[in-house]
Amino acid sequence: MKLFLMNILLAISWCALTADASLANFLAGFVVGYAAMAMSPVRKISRGYFRRLPRILGLLVFFLKELVASGLRATMEVLSPVRKSQPRVIRVDTELRERNHLLLLSQLISLTPGTLVLDVDPEEGVLYVHAMFAHSEQAFLQELRGGMERRVREVFD
Amino acid sequence: MIEWLLALLIVSGSFFGFTAALGLVRMPDIYTRMSTSGKAATLCCGLLLAAVAIQLQDARVTARVVAAILFLLLTVPVGAHMIARAAYRTGSPMWKGDATGPSESASREKQ
């Protein structure tokens, strides 16, 4: 967190030095600051930030891809004259115990069209997910564990 | 070039908005309605707001667009989750999916 703020400060000073306060220049300053920090001894003090930021971006890209893909699938379902979906409630046993991790995972699941978190048991790390397109429970669980849950765990790692 | 990108964003955003509204009418039970309408609406708003930001090319507008999308992503799933949870707890019937059609399977009570 401290390093993230430092990175933002570096980006602001980059904007001041180049006398251009646009968003694109701020992002450029952020990238330059990140590279500079990654090469400096700061890296040895705290490795977490440099490991986490690429993973957060990875999760973001993965989630946007997932959002568009399942959005299209839900759209097909709405437009097609025959119902192909088989909705069911699936119990997902996750390995996450922290409330923040479960919150992020269930937010992401609820945001994807076609899946909806009905209930959460934070002590056991269990989510009850209503899934529209899960034709097999095992396949759905595998996809969720290998995709979203693993990435959420890595982000907080 | 940028006009085509804008057109693509706006048309696809409106398309998702349209199907979200259609989903409210066409889906058989409350859970599938929440799934198809709420989330597709997020996608619709996100695409339209992105188009606005690209068109206006203004830092103030872009900042507001980013904030709006961020709050959308934070609040939509919470709302959808609370409505679905309330429906589940009050025993709203769930459509199980059937080739014969929603109206028959809803009354038949499978499982």
Side-chain angles (χ1 to χ4, degrees), chain B residues 55-91:
Chain B
Q55 165 68 26
L56 293 179
Q57 298 264 359
D58 183 348
R60 284 171 298 176
V61 174
T62 312
R64 270 172 217 170
V65 162
V66 170
I69 291 178
L70 213 64
F71 278 111
L72 215 58
L73 292 184
L74 282 177
T75 53
V76 165
V78 177
H81 166 66
M82 288 323 286
I83 293 171
R85 186 179 142 108
Y88 190 72
R89 295 221 160 165
T90 51

PDB file of all heavy atoms in Angstrom, chain B residues 55-91:
ATOM      1  N   GLN B  55     -15.140  10.041 -26.599  1.00  0.00           N
ATOM      2  CA  GLN B  55     -15.603  11.120 -27.463  1.00  0.00           C
ATOM      3  C   GLN B  55     -15.170  12.493 -26.938  1.00  0.00           C
ATOM      4  O   GLN B  55     -14.652  13.320 -27.686  1.00  0.00           O
ATOM      5  CB  GLN B  55     -17.131  11.049 -27.599  1.00  0.00           C
ATOM      6  CG  GLN B  55     -17.793  12.284 -28.161  1.00  0.00           C
ATOM      7  CD  GLN B  55     -17.439  12.500 -29.622  1.00  0.00           C
ATOM      8  OE1 GLN B  55     -17.117  11.565 -30.333  1.00  0.00           O
ATOM      9  NE2 GLN B  55     -17.486  13.742 -30.062  1.00  0.00           N
ATOM     10  N   LEU B  56     -15.364  12.725 -25.624  1.00  0.00           N
ATOM     11  CA  LEU B  56     -15.138  14.073 -25.102  1.00  0.00           C
ATOM     12  C   LEU B  56     -13.669  14.374 -24.832  1.00  0.00           C
ATOM     13  O   LEU B  56     -13.262  15.528 -24.855  1.00  0.00           O
ATOM     14  CB  LEU B  56     -15.970  14.291 -23.835  1.00  0.00           C
ATOM     15  CG  LEU B  56     -17.476  14.309 -24.092  1.00  0.00           C
ATOM     16  CD1 LEU B  56     -18.231  14.504 -22.807  1.00  0.00           C
ATOM     17  CD2 LEU B  56     -17.841  15.404 -25.071  1.00  0.00           C
ATOM     18  N   GLN B  57     -12.859  13.317 -24.549  1.00  0.00           N
ATOM     19  CA  GLN B  57     -11.411  13.507 -24.352  1.00  0.00           C
ATOM     20  C   GLN B  57     -11.099  14.599 -23.326  1.00  0.00           C
ATOM     21  O   GLN B  57     -10.273  15.464 -23.561  1.00  0.00           O
ATOM     22  CB  GLN B  57     -10.747  13.879 -25.675  1.00  0.00           C
ATOM     23  CG  GLN B  57     -10.873  12.824 -26.729  1.00  0.00           C
ATOM     24  CD  GLN B  57      -9.665  11.932 -26.805  1.00  0.00           C
ATOM     25  OE1 GLN B  57      -8.698  12.118 -26.074  1.00  0.00           O
ATOM     26  NE2 GLN B  57      -9.713  10.925 -27.651  1.00  0.00           N
ATOM     27  N   ASP B  58     -11.805  14.558 -22.199  1.00  0.00           N
ATOM     28  CA  ASP B  58     -11.648  15.600 -21.191  1.00  0.00           C
ATOM     29  C   ASP B  58     -11.348  14.909 -19.855  1.00  0.00           C
ATOM     30  O   ASP B  58     -12.030  13.946 -19.493  1.00  0.00           O
ATOM     31  CB  ASP B  58     -12.954  16.413 -21.110  1.00  0.00           C
ATOM     32  CG  ASP B  58     -12.841  17.563 -20.127  1.00  0.00           C
ATOM     33  OD1 ASP B  58     -11.865  17.594 -19.363  1.00  0.00           O
ATOM     34  OD2 ASP B  58     -13.735  18.414 -20.133  1.00  0.00           O
ATOM     35  N   ALA B  59     -10.311  15.392 -19.164  1.00  0.00           N
ATOM     36  CA  ALA B  59      -9.891  14.722 -17.936  1.00  0.00           C
ATOM     37  C   ALA B  59     -11.010  14.704 -16.898  1.00  0.00           C
ATOM     38  O   ALA B  59     -11.196  13.719 -16.190  1.00  0.00           O
ATOM     39  CB  ALA B  59      -8.658  15.407 -17.360  1.00  0.00           C
ATOM     40  N   ARG B  60     -11.776  15.801 -16.824  1.00  0.00           N
ATOM     41  CA  ARG B  60     -12.842  15.842 -15.821  1.00  0.00           C
ATOM     42  C   ARG B  60     -13.913  14.809 -16.131  1.00  0.00           C
ATOM     43  O   ARG B  60     -14.401  14.101 -15.247  1.00  0.00           O
ATOM     44  CB  ARG B  60     -13.466  17.245 -15.779  1.00  0.00           C
ATOM     45  CG  ARG B  60     -12.592  18.251 -15.070  1.00  0.00           C
ATOM     46  CD  ARG B  60     -13.138  19.628 -15.256  1.00  0.00           C
ATOM     47  NE  ARG B  60     -13.154  19.994 -16.677  1.00  0.00           N
ATOM     48  CZ  ARG B  60     -13.655  21.120 -17.145  1.00  0.00           C
ATOM     49  NH1 ARG B  60     -14.206  21.987 -16.334  1.00  0.00           N
ATOM     50  NH2 ARG B  60     -13.620  21.391 -18.413  1.00  0.00           N
ATOM     51  N   VAL B  61     -14.273  14.714 -17.407  1.00  0.00           N
ATOM     52  CA  VAL B  61     -15.276  13.729 -17.806  1.00  0.00           C
ATOM     53  C   VAL B  61     -14.758  12.316 -17.589  1.00  0.00           C
ATOM     54  O   VAL B  61     -15.455  11.464 -17.039  1.00  0.00           O
ATOM     55  CB  VAL B  61     -15.675  13.939 -19.282  1.00  0.00           C
ATOM     56  CG1 VAL B  61     -16.606  12.843 -19.736  1.00  0.00           C
ATOM     57  CG2 VAL B  61     -16.312  15.287 -19.462  1.00  0.00           C
ATOM     58  N   THR B  62     -13.495  12.086 -17.973  1.00  0.00           N
ATOM     59  CA  THR B  62     -12.925  10.751 -17.823  1.00  0.00           C
ATOM     60  C   THR B  62     -12.906  10.324 -16.356  1.00  0.00           C
ATOM     61  O   THR B  62     -13.240   9.181 -16.037  1.00  0.00           O
ATOM     62  CB  THR B  62     -11.492  10.723 -18.390  1.00  0.00           C
ATOM     63  OG1 THR B  62     -11.512  11.329 -19.667  1.00  0.00           O
ATOM     64  CG2 THR B  62     -10.989   9.310 -18.503  1.00  0.00           C
ATOM     65  N   ALA B  63     -12.531  11.263 -15.474  1.00  0.00           N
ATOM     66  CA  ALA B  63     -12.494  10.936 -14.053  1.00  0.00           C
ATOM     67  C   ALA B  63     -13.883  10.524 -13.570  1.00  0.00           C
ATOM     68  O   ALA B  63     -14.046   9.542 -12.836  1.00  0.00           O
ATOM     69  CB  ALA B  63     -11.991  12.130 -13.255  1.00  0.00           C
ATOM     70  N   ARG B  64     -14.901  11.258 -14.002  1.00  0.00           N
ATOM     71  CA  ARG B  64     -16.261  10.912 -13.579  1.00  0.00           C
ATOM     72  C   ARG B  64     -16.703   9.584 -14.144  1.00  0.00           C
ATOM     73  O   ARG B  64     -17.385   8.805 -13.482  1.00  0.00           O
ATOM     74  CB  ARG B  64     -17.225  12.009 -14.014  1.00  0.00           C
ATOM     75  CG  ARG B  64     -17.336  13.063 -12.943  1.00  0.00           C
ATOM     76  CD  ARG B  64     -18.118  14.241 -13.391  1.00  0.00           C
ATOM     77  NE  ARG B  64     -17.509  15.435 -12.812  1.00  0.00           N
ATOM     78  CZ  ARG B  64     -17.831  16.650 -13.148  1.00  0.00           C
ATOM     79  NH1 ARG B  64     -18.743  16.845 -14.066  1.00  0.00           N
ATOM     80  NH2 ARG B  64     -17.254  17.669 -12.563  1.00  0.00           N
ATOM     81  N   VAL B  65     -16.318   9.318 -15.400  1.00  0.00           N
ATOM     82  CA  VAL B  65     -16.684   8.034 -16.012  1.00  0.00           C
ATOM     83  C   VAL B  65     -16.050   6.882 -15.246  1.00  0.00           C
ATOM     84  O   VAL B  65     -16.713   5.892 -14.919  1.00  0.00           O
ATOM     85  CB  VAL B  65     -16.242   8.013 -17.491  1.00  0.00           C
ATOM     86  CG1 VAL B  65     -16.203   6.597 -18.025  1.00  0.00           C
ATOM     87  CG2 VAL B  65     -17.174   8.855 -18.330  1.00  0.00           C
ATOM     88  N   VAL B  66     -14.761   7.043 -14.910  1.00  0.00           N
ATOM     89  CA  VAL B  66     -14.080   5.984 -14.156  1.00  0.00           C
ATOM     90  C   VAL B  66     -14.766   5.773 -12.812  1.00  0.00           C
ATOM     91  O   VAL B  66     -15.033   4.643 -12.395  1.00  0.00           O
ATOM     92  CB  VAL B  66     -12.587   6.343 -13.972  1.00  0.00           C
ATOM     93  CG1 VAL B  66     -11.942   5.388 -12.993  1.00  0.00           C
ATOM     94  CG2 VAL B  66     -11.865   6.285 -15.301  1.00  0.00           C
ATOM     95  N   ALA B  67     -15.100   6.887 -12.123  1.00  0.00           N
ATOM     96  CA  ALA B  67     -15.757   6.771 -10.824  1.00  0.00           C
ATOM     97  C   ALA B  67     -17.120   6.095 -10.978  1.00  0.00           C
ATOM     98  O   ALA B  67     -17.484   5.220 -10.178  1.00  0.00           O
ATOM     99  CB  ALA B  67     -15.926   8.146 -10.198  1.00  0.00           C
ATOM    100  N   ALA B  68     -17.878   6.473 -12.019  1.00  0.00           N
ATOM    101  CA  ALA B  68     -19.212   5.899 -12.209  1.00  0.00           C
ATOM    102  C   ALA B  68     -19.119   4.403 -12.446  1.00  0.00           C
ATOM    103  O   ALA B  68     -19.867   3.616 -11.845  1.00  0.00           O
ATOM    104  CB  ALA B  68     -19.909   6.581 -13.386  1.00  0.00           C
ATOM    105  N   ILE B  69     -18.166   3.984 -13.302  1.00  0.00           N
ATOM    106  CA  ILE B  69     -18.030   2.549 -13.590  1.00  0.00           C
ATOM    107  C   ILE B  69     -17.611   1.810 -12.324  1.00  0.00           C
ATOM    108  O   ILE B  69     -18.118   0.734 -12.013  1.00  0.00           O
ATOM    109  CB  ILE B  69     -17.012   2.322 -14.725  1.00  0.00           C
ATOM    110  CG1 ILE B  69     -17.596   2.848 -16.039  1.00  0.00           C
ATOM    111  CG2 ILE B  69     -16.685   0.852 -14.874  1.00  0.00           C
ATOM    112  CD1 ILE B  69     -16.672   2.736 -17.213  1.00  0.00           C
ATOM    113  N   LEU B  70     -16.699   2.429 -11.555  1.00  0.00           N
ATOM    114  CA  LEU B  70     -16.230   1.801 -10.320  1.00  0.00           C
ATOM    115  C   LEU B  70     -17.386   1.578  -9.345  1.00  0.00           C
ATOM    116  O   LEU B  70     -17.542   0.487  -8.780  1.00  0.00           O
ATOM    117  CB  LEU B  70     -15.165   2.706  -9.686  1.00  0.00           C
ATOM    118  CG  LEU B  70     -14.051   2.000  -8.943  1.00  0.00           C
ATOM    119  CD1 LEU B  70     -13.256   1.152  -9.909  1.00  0.00           C
ATOM    120  CD2 LEU B  70     -13.165   3.021  -8.265  1.00  0.00           C
ATOM    121  N   PHE B  71     -18.229   2.612  -9.180  1.00  0.00           N
ATOM    122  CA  PHE B  71     -19.344   2.467  -8.244  1.00  0.00           C
ATOM    123  C   PHE B  71     -20.370   1.470  -8.760  1.00  0.00           C
ATOM    124  O   PHE B  71     -20.989   0.737  -7.982  1.00  0.00           O
ATOM    125  CB  PHE B  71     -19.995   3.824  -7.975  1.00  0.00           C
ATOM    126  CG  PHE B  71     -19.240   4.611  -6.947  1.00  0.00           C
ATOM    127  CD1 PHE B  71     -18.545   5.743  -7.279  1.00  0.00           C
ATOM    128  CD2 PHE B  71     -19.217   4.181  -5.639  1.00  0.00           C
ATOM    129  CE1 PHE B  71     -17.832   6.442  -6.339  1.00  0.00           C
ATOM    130  CE2 PHE B  71     -18.503   4.871  -4.682  1.00  0.00           C
ATOM    131  CZ  PHE B  71     -17.807   6.014  -5.038  1.00  0.00           C
ATOM    132  N   LEU B  72     -20.529   1.434 -10.083  1.00  0.00           N
ATOM    133  CA  LEU B  72     -21.428   0.445 -10.685  1.00  0.00           C
ATOM    134  C   LEU B  72     -20.951  -0.962 -10.348  1.00  0.00           C
ATOM    135  O   LEU B  72     -21.729  -1.820  -9.928  1.00  0.00           O
ATOM    136  CB  LEU B  72     -21.419   0.658 -12.195  1.00  0.00           C
ATOM    137  CG  LEU B  72     -22.705   0.433 -12.959  1.00  0.00           C
ATOM    138  CD1 LEU B  72     -23.780   1.334 -12.424  1.00  0.00           C
ATOM    139  CD2 LEU B  72     -22.474   0.696 -14.423  1.00  0.00           C
ATOM    140  N   LEU B  73     -19.640  -1.189 -10.514  1.00  0.00           N
ATOM    141  CA  LEU B  73     -19.082  -2.511 -10.253  1.00  0.00           C
ATOM    142  C   LEU B  73     -19.182  -2.865  -8.780  1.00  0.00           C
ATOM    143  O   LEU B  73     -19.288  -4.030  -8.417  1.00  0.00           O
ATOM    144  CB  LEU B  73     -17.611  -2.574 -10.691  1.00  0.00           C
ATOM    145  CG  LEU B  73     -17.338  -2.490 -12.186  1.00  0.00           C
ATOM    146  CD1 LEU B  73     -15.861  -2.652 -12.456  1.00  0.00           C
ATOM    147  CD2 LEU B  73     -18.118  -3.543 -12.936  1.00  0.00           C
ATOM    148  N   LEU B  74     -19.142  -1.852  -7.904  1.00  0.00           N
ATOM    149  CA  LEU B  74     -19.226  -2.134  -6.469  1.00  0.00           C
ATOM    150  C   LEU B  74     -20.657  -2.422  -6.037  1.00  0.00           C
ATOM    151  O   LEU B  74     -20.893  -3.281  -5.194  1.00  0.00           O
ATOM    152  CB  LEU B  74     -18.695  -0.943  -5.662  1.00  0.00           C
ATOM    153  CG  LEU B  74     -17.193  -0.803  -5.567  1.00  0.00           C
ATOM    154  CD1 LEU B  74     -16.833   0.450  -4.802  1.00  0.00           C
ATOM    155  CD2 LEU B  74     -16.600  -2.008  -4.875  1.00  0.00           C
ATOM    156  N   THR B  75     -21.630  -1.685  -6.587  1.00  0.00           N
ATOM    157  CA  THR B  75     -22.985  -1.749  -6.032  1.00  0.00           C
ATOM    158  C   THR B  75     -23.891  -2.762  -6.708  1.00  0.00           C
ATOM    159  O   THR B  75     -24.739  -3.360  -6.045  1.00  0.00           O
ATOM    160  CB  THR B  75     -23.643  -0.369  -6.102  1.00  0.00           C
ATOM    161  OG1 THR B  75     -23.554   0.111  -7.433  1.00  0.00           O
ATOM    162  CG2 THR B  75     -22.984   0.595  -5.172  1.00  0.00           C
ATOM    163  N   VAL B  76     -23.718  -2.965  -8.025  1.00  0.00           N
ATOM    164  CA  VAL B  76     -24.638  -3.861  -8.732  1.00  0.00           C
ATOM    165  C   VAL B  76     -24.664  -5.283  -8.157  1.00  0.00           C
ATOM    166  O   VAL B  76     -25.733  -5.816  -7.890  1.00  0.00           O
ATOM    167  CB  VAL B  76     -24.335  -3.866 -10.246  1.00  0.00           C
ATOM    168  CG1 VAL B  76     -24.993  -5.030 -10.935  1.00  0.00           C
ATOM    169  CG2 VAL B  76     -24.804  -2.573 -10.865  1.00  0.00           C
ATOM    170  N   PRO B  77     -23.477  -5.912  -7.929  1.00  0.00           N
ATOM    171  CA  PRO B  77     -23.545  -7.268  -7.386  1.00  0.00           C
ATOM    172  C   PRO B  77     -24.159  -7.330  -5.999  1.00  0.00           C
ATOM    173  O   PRO B  77     -24.848  -8.302  -5.676  1.00  0.00           O
ATOM    174  CB  PRO B  77     -22.096  -7.734  -7.367  1.00  0.00           C
ATOM    175  CG  PRO B  77     -21.280  -6.584  -7.700  1.00  0.00           C
ATOM    176  CD  PRO B  77     -22.118  -5.512  -8.230  1.00  0.00           C
ATOM    177  N   VAL B  78     -23.937  -6.306  -5.173  1.00  0.00           N
ATOM    178  CA  VAL B  78     -24.518  -6.320  -3.827  1.00  0.00           C
ATOM    179  C   VAL B  78     -26.040  -6.295  -3.924  1.00  0.00           C
ATOM    180  O   VAL B  78     -26.739  -7.083  -3.277  1.00  0.00           O
ATOM    181  CB  VAL B  78     -24.013  -5.113  -2.996  1.00  0.00           C
ATOM    182  CG1 VAL B  78     -24.685  -5.097  -1.648  1.00  0.00           C
ATOM    183  CG2 VAL B  78     -22.516  -5.172  -2.840  1.00  0.00           C
ATOM    184  N   GLY B  79     -26.556  -5.406  -4.773  1.00  0.00           N
ATOM    185  CA  GLY B  79     -28.002  -5.328  -4.950  1.00  0.00           C
ATOM    186  C   GLY B  79     -28.575  -6.617  -5.481  1.00  0.00           C
ATOM    187  O   GLY B  79     -29.571  -7.145  -4.949  1.00  0.00           O
ATOM    188  N   ALA B  80     -27.920  -7.173  -6.519  1.00  0.00           N
ATOM    189  CA  ALA B  80     -28.409  -8.414  -7.118  1.00  0.00           C
ATOM    190  C   ALA B  80     -28.389  -9.535  -6.094  1.00  0.00           C
ATOM    191  O   ALA B  80     -29.343 -10.320  -5.985  1.00  0.00           O
ATOM    192  CB  ALA B  80     -27.546  -8.782  -8.328  1.00  0.00           C
ATOM    193  N   HIS B  81     -27.307  -9.594  -5.319  1.00  0.00           N
ATOM    194  CA  HIS B  81     -27.190 -10.632  -4.297  1.00  0.00           C
ATOM    195  C   HIS B  81     -28.295 -10.493  -3.248  1.00  0.00           C
ATOM    196  O   HIS B  81     -28.932 -11.489  -2.870  1.00  0.00           O
ATOM    197  CB  HIS B  81     -25.824 -10.538  -3.629  1.00  0.00           C
ATOM    198  CG  HIS B  81     -25.703 -11.324  -2.371  1.00  0.00           C
ATOM    199  ND1 HIS B  81     -25.771 -12.693  -2.369  1.00  0.00           N
ATOM    200  CD2 HIS B  81     -25.559 -10.940  -1.084  1.00  0.00           C
ATOM    201  CE1 HIS B  81     -25.656 -13.118  -1.121  1.00  0.00           C
ATOM    202  NE2 HIS B  81     -25.522 -12.079  -0.329  1.00  0.00           N
ATOM    203  N   MET B  82     -28.563  -9.272  -2.771  1.00  0.00           N
ATOM    204  CA  MET B  82     -29.576  -9.088  -1.725  1.00  0.00           C
ATOM    205  C   MET B  82     -30.964  -9.460  -2.236  1.00  0.00           C
ATOM    206  O   MET B  82     -31.744 -10.097  -1.533  1.00  0.00           O
ATOM    207  CB  MET B  82     -29.579  -7.633  -1.232  1.00  0.00           C
ATOM    208  CG  MET B  82     -28.394  -7.237  -0.392  1.00  0.00           C
ATOM    209  SD  MET B  82     -27.794  -8.497   0.719  1.00  0.00           S
ATOM    210  CE  MET B  82     -29.059  -8.479   1.974  1.00  0.00           C
ATOM    211  N   ILE B  83     -31.283  -9.063  -3.487  1.00  0.00           N
ATOM    212  CA  ILE B  83     -32.609  -9.386  -4.026  1.00  0.00           C
ATOM    213  C   ILE B  83     -32.759 -10.898  -4.190  1.00  0.00           C
ATOM    214  O   ILE B  83     -33.779 -11.488  -3.801  1.00  0.00           O
ATOM    215  CB  ILE B  83     -32.816  -8.661  -5.374  1.00  0.00           C
ATOM    216  CG1 ILE B  83     -32.892  -7.152  -5.137  1.00  0.00           C
ATOM    217  CG2 ILE B  83     -34.078  -9.145  -6.057  1.00  0.00           C
ATOM    218  CD1 ILE B  83     -32.887  -6.335  -6.393  1.00  0.00           C
ATOM    219  N   ALA B  84     -31.701 -11.538  -4.753  1.00  0.00           N
ATOM    220  CA  ALA B  84     -31.778 -12.982  -4.971  1.00  0.00           C
ATOM    221  C   ALA B  84     -31.861 -13.723  -3.650  1.00  0.00           C
ATOM    222  O   ALA B  84     -32.615 -14.697  -3.502  1.00  0.00           O
ATOM    223  CB  ALA B  84     -30.553 -13.448  -5.760  1.00  0.00           C
ATOM    224  N   ARG B  85     -31.123 -13.244  -2.640  1.00  0.00           N
ATOM    225  CA  ARG B  85     -31.134 -13.888  -1.335  1.00  0.00           C
ATOM    226  C   ARG B  85     -32.507 -13.762  -0.680  1.00  0.00           C
ATOM    227  O   ARG B  85     -33.039 -14.720  -0.111  1.00  0.00           O
ATOM    228  CB  ARG B  85     -30.069 -13.217  -0.461  1.00  0.00           C
ATOM    229  CG  ARG B  85     -29.837 -13.826   0.869  1.00  0.00           C
ATOM    230  CD  ARG B  85     -28.735 -13.018   1.523  1.00  0.00           C
ATOM    231  NE  ARG B  85     -28.963 -12.853   2.930  1.00  0.00           N
ATOM    232  CZ  ARG B  85     -28.248 -13.482   3.844  1.00  0.00           C
ATOM    233  NH1 ARG B  85     -27.294 -14.301   3.478  1.00  0.00           N
ATOM    234  NH2 ARG B  85     -28.486 -13.295   5.109  1.00  0.00           N
ATOM    235  N   ALA B  86     -33.099 -12.553  -0.795  1.00  0.00           N
ATOM    236  CA  ALA B  86     -34.435 -12.355  -0.229  1.00  0.00           C
ATOM    237  C   ALA B  86     -35.439 -13.265  -0.927  1.00  0.00           C
ATOM    238  O   ALA B  86     -36.294 -13.884  -0.284  1.00  0.00           O
ATOM    239  CB  ALA B  86     -34.844 -10.894  -0.385  1.00  0.00           C
ATOM    240  N   ALA B  87     -35.308 -13.390  -2.269  1.00  0.00           N
ATOM    241  CA  ALA B  87     -36.214 -14.253  -3.020  1.00  0.00           C
ATOM    242  C   ALA B  87     -36.041 -15.698  -2.584  1.00  0.00           C
ATOM    243  O   ALA B  87     -37.017 -16.434  -2.406  1.00  0.00           O
ATOM    244  CB  ALA B  87     -35.945 -14.114  -4.517  1.00  0.00           C
ATOM    245  N   TYR B  88     -34.778 -16.106  -2.389  1.00  0.00           N
ATOM    246  CA  TYR B  88     -34.502 -17.494  -1.996  1.00  0.00           C
ATOM    247  C   TYR B  88     -35.080 -17.791  -0.623  1.00  0.00           C
ATOM    248  O   TYR B  88     -35.691 -18.832  -0.391  1.00  0.00           O
ATOM    249  CB  TYR B  88     -32.989 -17.714  -2.002  1.00  0.00           C
ATOM    250  CG  TYR B  88     -32.590 -19.147  -1.850  1.00  0.00           C
ATOM    251  CD1 TYR B  88     -32.786 -20.041  -2.892  1.00  0.00           C
ATOM    252  CD2 TYR B  88     -32.017 -19.606  -0.670  1.00  0.00           C
ATOM    253  CE1 TYR B  88     -32.427 -21.357  -2.770  1.00  0.00           C
ATOM    254  CE2 TYR B  88     -31.645 -20.927  -0.542  1.00  0.00           C
ATOM    255  CZ  TYR B  88     -31.854 -21.804  -1.596  1.00  0.00           C
ATOM    256  OH  TYR B  88     -31.494 -23.106  -1.469  1.00  0.00           O
ATOM    257  N   ARG B  89     -34.918 -16.845   0.309  1.00  0.00           N
ATOM    258  CA  ARG B  89     -35.385 -17.085   1.678  1.00  0.00           C
ATOM    259  C   ARG B  89     -36.896 -17.082   1.787  1.00  0.00           C
ATOM    260  O   ARG B  89     -37.456 -17.750   2.652  1.00  0.00           O
ATOM    261  CB  ARG B  89     -34.813 -16.007   2.608  1.00  0.00           C
ATOM    262  CG  ARG B  89     -33.317 -16.104   2.685  1.00  0.00           C
ATOM    263  CD  ARG B  89     -32.852 -15.897   4.086  1.00  0.00           C
ATOM    264  NE  ARG B  89     -31.512 -16.443   4.227  1.00  0.00           N
ATOM    265  CZ  ARG B  89     -30.734 -16.163   5.249  1.00  0.00           C
ATOM    266  NH1 ARG B  89     -31.156 -15.361   6.195  1.00  0.00           N
ATOM    267  NH2 ARG B  89     -29.548 -16.694   5.342  1.00  0.00           N
ATOM    268  N   THR B  90     -37.564 -16.284   0.935  1.00  0.00           N
ATOM    269  CA  THR B  90     -39.025 -16.293   0.990  1.00  0.00           C
ATOM    270  C   THR B  90     -39.594 -17.410   0.116  1.00  0.00           C
ATOM    271  O   THR B  90     -40.807 -17.522  -0.015  1.00  0.00           O
ATOM    272  CB  THR B  90     -39.588 -14.939   0.522  1.00  0.00           C
ATOM    273  OG1 THR B  90     -39.004 -14.606  -0.727  1.00  0.00           O
ATOM    274  CG2 THR B  90     -39.291 -13.845   1.524  1.00  0.00           C
ATOM    275  N   GLY B  91     -38.712 -18.229  -0.468  1.00  0.00           N
ATOM    276  CA  GLY B  91     -39.183 -19.405  -1.188  1.00  0.00           C
ATOM    277  C   GLY B  91     -39.763 -19.108  -2.555  1.00  0.00           C
ATOM    278  O   GLY B  91     -40.744 -19.726  -2.958  1.00  0.00           O
TER     279      GLY B  91
END
